[in-house]
Amino acid sequence: MNKKHSISTLAVAGVQKLVPYVPGKPIEELERELGLSDIVKLASNENPLGTNPRVAQAIQKTLPELTRYPDGNGFKLKVALAEKLSVDSAQITLGNGSNEILELVARTFLTPDLDVVFSQHAFAVYPIVTQAVGATARIVPAKDYGHDLSAMSEQINDRTRLVFIANPNNPTGTLLQPDELEAFIKALPSTVLCVLDEAYHEYVAPDRRARSIDWLRAYPNLIITRTFSKAYGLAGLRVGYSLSSLEIADLLNRVRQPFNNNMLALAAAETALSDRDYLHRTVAANAAGMQQLTVAFRTLGLEWIPSAGNFVSVDLGRPALPIYEALLRKGVIVRPVANYEMPNHLRVSIGTERENQVFITALSQVLNAI
Ligand SMILES: *Cc1c(COP(=O)(O)O)cnc(C)c1O
């Protein structure tokens, strides 16, 4: 047995079979590969408005402090979040992106003899954090691309410790009815935790939103996760958080690294949270861009999954990978979702009006050429 082989067999079983997360292709990588400039990236559900100038200012102001450790408790950001969301700041756990929260939950609550339930086409990080700790994923077939909550309920048994629900879901954009969702959470055994991943919450029309924070009082097994990466435009800084019962927050806090959020990120998030105007412009630009893209899809005779997020998955009616690659050659990066069992779809993030138009033009040229 060669040494390399023997080392990999030492990894826990889940990790040996783990397939790494594939991020959207970075702009610089495509520039290097094709020698193109002026690339349009609509692949990672990023905020297209660019860095918020007020955030840039807050970061500038913090720069002289970089020799210090950041506040390991994120005191100021938690106070600001607590006030805005009407929760106790001790219910908040800050993460290096909400991704880290998902991982903290897995490390805190899962063992190899436990199961995790989530939907087909759900966010790709759920299987990764589940397998990494050796737990078993029970993946429930989707219904019309969305979570089938009654089928998910049926998968819950004595081995189940955790359910992941993304609402809206990525990459489908599907949104659950608030009352159905609450009934599902209410019916969970008290030994099963529910992570309700609301990474796209701010994009959901107010009248369609679940009042999930109100549910925390009634359901001590509920963990809501949110992020500054999407509507607040801070994907590059990595700040997310969870809202939960005090008991859960205390447990997650024991597992997390002492300084998991850096100083610049904390200052940026606090400023971003207070900037209503940037958020409003983000949500308005998203609604307009969603309209722009879906009108174009209709014109091109393409179907799409109605989305409550800042992205939309379009059905090309044929394998999407060659079209993805042809778009790359035109300098447009979108996201193939075959790894989500959606081989005929491309997920397109909503960009600026100009970026959307560049994508639409490229897509119609590519489709015409076939
Ligand atoms: C983008 C995304 C996240 C969050 O990512 P972070 O940048 O780590 O906060 C979480 N869940 C879903 C479903 C997402 O699409």
Side-chain angles (χ1 to χ4, degrees):
M1 197 189 284
N2 72 39
K3 276 190 177 164
K4 223 171 160 187
H5 179 71
S6 72
I7 294 287
S8 68
T9 60
L10 300 180
V12 299
V15 173
Q16 290 189 38
K17 285 178 282 170
L18 207 56
V19 181
Y21 181 82
V22 182
K25 195 176 186 68
I27 290 176
E28 286 171 13
E29 188 177 303
L30 189 63
E31 279 174 352
R32 277 197 303 275
E33 285 173 7
L34 298 183
L36 289 175
S37 57
D38 205 19
I39 283 165
V40 167
K41 183 186 176 203
L42 301 175
S44 300
N45 302 345
E46 294 152 337
N47 191 315
L49 299 192
T51 299
N52 180 344
R54 288 188 54 198
V55 164
Q57 235 174 31
I59 287 178
Q60 275 294 343
K61 238 180 88 187
T62 312
L63 287 177
E65 305 300 321
L66 291 186
T67 54
R68 308 282 178 198
Y69 278 97
D71 175 2
N73 288 318
F75 176 82
K76 284 167 72 187
L77 178 56
K78 281 192 193 174
V79 167
L81 280 167
E83 190 178 300
K84 187 177 170 85
L85 303 173
S86 304
V87 296
D88 181 337
S89 64
Q91 292 179 269
I92 302 169
T93 306
L94 298 178
N96 199 258
S98 56
N99 242 283
E100 190 193 17
I101 303 282
L102 304 176
E103 196 181 310
L104 290 178
V105 171
R107 282 165 53 208
T108 303
F109 291 103
L110 298 178
T111 61
D113 54 347
L114 293 170
D115 284 3
V116 179
V117 171
F118 54 89
S119 177
Q120 180 191 21
H121 313 309
F123 187 41
V125 169
Y126 308 155
I128 293 176
V129 300
T130 299
Q131 272 194 50
V133 295
T136 302
R138 299 282 169 216
I139 301 173
V140 179
K143 191 173 74 183
D144 300 328
Y145 293 105
H147 292 47
D148 183 345
L149 292 178
S150 54
M152 288 174 74
S153 292
E154 284 165 21
Q155 286 299 312
I156 288 162
N157 58 38
D158 290 347
R159 286 176 50 108
T160 314
R161 174 58 38 84
L162 180 61
V163 180
F164 283 113
I165 293 180
N167 195 48
N169 183 46
N170 171 16
T172 59
T174 48
L175 186 74
L176 291 159
Q177 298 275 359
D179 46 353
E180 268 182 69
L181 180 54
E182 189 185 2
F184 173 86
I185 294 166
K186 188 174 188 174
L188 285 175
S190 58
T191 52
V192 177
L193 300 171
C194 179
V195 169
L196 179 59
D197 179 342
E198 297 189 326
Y200 301 97
H201 173 79
E202 296 82 4
Y203 292 104
V204 179
D207 61 334
R208 298 183 70 201
R209 284 184 192 169
R211 299 178 64 88
S212 52
I213 293 177
D214 293 350
W215 301 343
L216 288 168
R217 265 188 294 272
Y219 312 117
N221 52 343
L222 173 61
I223 304 170
I224 299 166
T225 61
R226 294 195 185 169
T227 183
F228 285 91
S229 297
K230 307 282 161 56
Y232 288 100
L234 301 185
L237 285 173
R238 318 304 303 125
V239 194
Y241 60 95
S242 64
L243 306 168
S244 68
S245 57
L246 299 175
E247 294 91 326
I248 290 177
D250 173 48
L251 291 164
L252 298 180
N253 199 44
R254 297 180 199 186
V255 177
R256 94 183 155 81
Q257 291 180 48
F259 303 107
N260 58 333
N261 288 110
N262 73 69
M263 184 186 286
L264 303 181
L266 289 171
E270 201 191 324
T271 301
L273 192 66
S274 70
D275 192 340
R276 286 164 173 270
D277 178 57
Y278 183 88
L279 190 64
H280 283 155
R281 284 191 290 121
T282 295
V283 172
N286 190 65
M290 185 69 80
Q291 177 74 4
Q292 188 186 0
L293 287 188
T294 52
V295 164
F297 293 154
R298 185 175 290 121
T299 307
L300 291 169
L302 299 173
E303 293 194 19
W304 66 92
I305 306 169
S307 170
N310 66 341
F311 55 87
V312 56
S313 286
V314 59
D315 186 353
L316 300 172
R318 65 181 82 133
L321 203 60
I323 294 171
Y324 163 72
E325 286 165 350
L327 288 169
L328 284 183
R329 290 190 291 272
K330 291 184 173 292
V332 177
I333 311 173
V334 294
R335 193 68 159 266
V337 283
N339 58 326
Y340 286 95
E341 301 184 347
M342 294 163 62
N344 290 356
H345 284 80
L346 287 177
R347 192 197 68 191
V348 186
S349 306
I350 309 301
T352 61
E353 186 179 354
R354 184 193 73 86
E355 290 171 328
N356 298 334
Q357 192 50 56
V358 169
F359 160 71
I360 291 164
T361 305
L363 180 66
S364 43
Q365 287 169 350
V366 165
L367 293 174
N368 273 331
I370 288 175

